[in-house]
Amino acid sequence: MTPVPMRRRLLAAGAALPWMPTAARAQAGWRPDRPIEYIVPAGAGAALDMSARQFKEIVERRKRVSAPVLVSNKPGGAGAIALNGLAMQPGNGHLVSTYTHSLINSRLLNVVPMGWRDVTPIAVMFEEAILAVVRTESPLKTGGDLVAALRKDPSSVSIGVATSVGNHIHMAIAKPMKAAGVDVSKMTIVPFKSSAESMTAMLGGHIDMISASAPNLTVQLEAGRIRPLAVATAEHIGAPLANVPTWREQGVAADYVSAQGLIGPKGMTADQLAWWTETLREVHESDEWKQFLVKQNWKPRFMPGAEMTRFLESEEAVAKGLLTDLGLLK
């Protein structure tokens, strides 16, 4: 019997060779062989939905998949409905969902039965900027005006957030106000089902200001109906919000960003994660994705696997401190 060279035997067995590039190793192992379901914990047309559909468009155009990516909108329950979809199919590499920062806070507050430790962190894909905004008629002209008002009376300014008290939108205003010496546990926070609803309430004079992410502000900003007081990021963001000062520029030593990415069911294999990591890296590096993020005023940030896990651990510690200060976590 003629001996078979080692290299040929390894290839026949589907094993990855040390000299093979990462992408090739991922393809030599697992790859999707049926449609991928991408669960979005928000309705069609929402910011979360748009990023999922952009991902779908890129991976299908670049033929990373042989079957379609099916975007499945499952809003409600503070993300619990989407999480339940993952819980029902452990180890399924054909199923992913959107990670948002609210997953950390919702689990700490026992709003949802699952947290990031109950899923597989795949990768963070970008950061979103959250701003403090008033209508143009407001007597609050700057972030300093807001700080002065809340130091005097923490309950004097009603602040709208979407979609729940204690989430990342709430944290983005609570963290700088805490740093500015405001008693954040006494702030008047009004939750709404969406940023569109909180914006409508503010423009109608029913609340004084809102905390909201950048994509939700563009239309009303260009119409001249709102005035951003501050952005919670460490640096300025892009047009049309490029001139909005940071909190640090206004004497408040704090910044806050929330992240979005992908998570999968518990029990995904190393081969599945290798394929997803390389696919998301390719999306991250594509011109289409970069242009999409610029349009949404989102900052690219790629953190796969273990790096994402360390990031979540760090952010969870920050959230615990803030939620305790707010009187929401005992």
Side-chain angles (χ1 to χ4, degrees), residues 145 161 165 313:
D145 291 342
V161 302
V165 171
E313 290 172 343

Side-chain angles (χ1 to χ4, degrees), residues 77-78 80 105-113 164-165:
N105 299 52
S106 295
R107 184 66 191 100
L108 290 173
L109 295 170
N110 289 317
V111 174
V112 296
S164 61
V165 171

Side-chain angles (χ1 to χ4, degrees), residues 163-276:
T163 57
S164 61
V165 171
N167 73 353
H168 61 295
I169 302 294
H170 185 179
M171 297 297 99
I173 189 66
K175 187 176 181 181
M177 292 304 97
K178 176 192 173 185
V182 173
D183 184 348
V184 293
S185 67
K186 296 180 180 178
M187 288 167 53
T188 303
I189 304 296
V190 186
F192 290 86
K193 292 181 180 179
S194 68
S195 290
E197 287 191 11
S198 63
M199 176 70 77
T200 298
M202 182 184 72
L203 293 176
H206 304 293
I207 56 175
D208 299 314
M209 65 168 284
I210 63 171
S211 178
S213 59
N216 296 294
L217 306 177
T218 303
V219 172
Q220 299 301 337
L221 179 70
E222 292 177 342
R225 303 184 69 188
I226 62 173
R227 178 171 55 251
L229 301 180
V231 61
T233 52
E235 302 172 345
H236 283 215
I237 58 176
L241 296 158
N243 293 325
V244 179
T246 66
W247 283 112
R248 289 185 182 275
E249 288 175 327
Q250 300 179 79
V252 179
D255 47 68
Y256 183 91
V257 294
S258 70
Q260 284 190 36
L262 272 78
I263 52 177
K266 196 76 171 176
M268 290 178 69
T269 68
D271 277 354
Q272 290 171 340
L273 282 173
W275 183 88
W276 274 104

